[in-house]
Amino acid sequence: QVHVEESGGGLVQFGGSLRLSCAATEHTFSPYTMAWFRQAPGKEREFVSAFLWDGRTVYYADSVRGRFTISSADTKNTVVYLQMRSLRADDTAVYYCAAKLAQSRRDVREGSTYEFWGQGTQVTVSS
């Protein structure tokens, strides 16, 4: 069973920066596709960003493009980062890291296709 764990959340002021980390404990033959999702109070979970198994393709939600950057620390994507800049109040949410081994670009933004999930880390942006 793959264990996924996030870290790096916290309280930050409006316009500030924060970096989230995600680690998958099990090293596999195939690289993971790793993604970040978030859920704000009273809202549905939404896709934030993904780093694909091919080692170079990234996806962003329109709401974070240009402010957030996803990166990987290794070729199997067992550790990924989400650098968040110019944070706004509407970025406040619990951020979840998710991983999957399936290699498809078609459903990268669909949370239901991810097999492994972390517990989440709270990000709060104060005004």
Side-chain angles (χ1 to χ4, degrees), residues 86-97:
S86 301
L87 285 162
R88 313 181 306 214
D90 60 358
D91 293 318
T92 295
V94 177
Y95 284 70
Y96 297 92
C97 182

Side-chain angles (χ1 to χ4, degrees), residues 37-115:
F37 293 80
R38 67 186 182 185
Q39 187 167 20
K43 295 187 177 181
E44 293 188 353
R45 184 180 65 194
E46 64 174 356
F47 170 80
V48 175
S49 182
F51 195 102
L52 269 58
W53 78 91
D54 63 4
R56 61 182 182 274
T57 305
V58 297
Y59 287 77
Y60 295 101
D62 290 342
S63 60
V64 306
R65 186 175 292 112
R67 301 188 298 122
F68 291 10
T69 303
I70 191 170
S71 61
S72 176
D74 62 299
T75 57
K76 293 293 178 67
N77 299 338
T78 60
V79 178
V80 294
Y81 305 104
L82 186 68
Q83 178 68 51
M84 305 184 293
R85 298 181 176 87
S86 301
L87 285 162
R88 313 181 306 214
D90 60 358
D91 293 318
T92 295
V94 177
Y95 284 70
Y96 297 92
C97 182
K100 63 178 176 179
L101 292 170
Q103 297 182 356
S104 170
R105 288 181 169 82
R106 185 177 57 192
D107 49 13
V108 169
R109 301 170 187 267
E110 298 297 324
S112 61
T113 66
Y114 288 80
E115 304 156 87

Side-chain angles (χ1 to χ4, degrees), residues 21-34:
S21 300
C22 174
T25 57
E26 186 168 323
H27 291 256
T28 64
F29 179 77
S30 299
Y32 293 104
T33 286
M34 301 284 271

